[in-house]
Amino acid sequence: MICPICKKKVSLLDAEAPFCSERCRVLDLGAWASGDYIISTEPAFERDNGE
Ligand SMILES: [Zn+2]
């Protein structure tokens, strides 16, 4: 498989798979934390009072 961060080949047996190293794993987590992948879920369930 391919490391999603640096596109290096990674063995499935690697302890850090699918990442090639702990560094890339942390970078991926950092991308999430810094808002690269914003999950925009509106609180639609709060708008249920219009009967
Ligand atoms: Zn990598």
Side-chain angles (χ1 to χ4, degrees):
M1 66 201 317
I2 306 289
C3 173
I5 301 299
C6 67
K7 314 298 183 193
K8 241 168 70 176
K9 282 185 83 176
V10 187
S11 168
L12 272 174
L13 303 175
D14 195 297
E16 306 292 347
F19 306 104
C20 69
S21 62
E22 186 183 3
R23 186 171 162 273
C24 279
R25 185 162 56 84
V26 170
L27 276 174
D28 189 65
L29 289 172
W32 276 89
S34 65
D36 275 3
Y37 303 90
I38 294 174
I39 304 165
S40 54
T41 49
E42 287 183 38
F45 52 87
E46 295 269 6
R47 306 160 146 197
D48 196 34
N49 55 356
E51 278 187 50

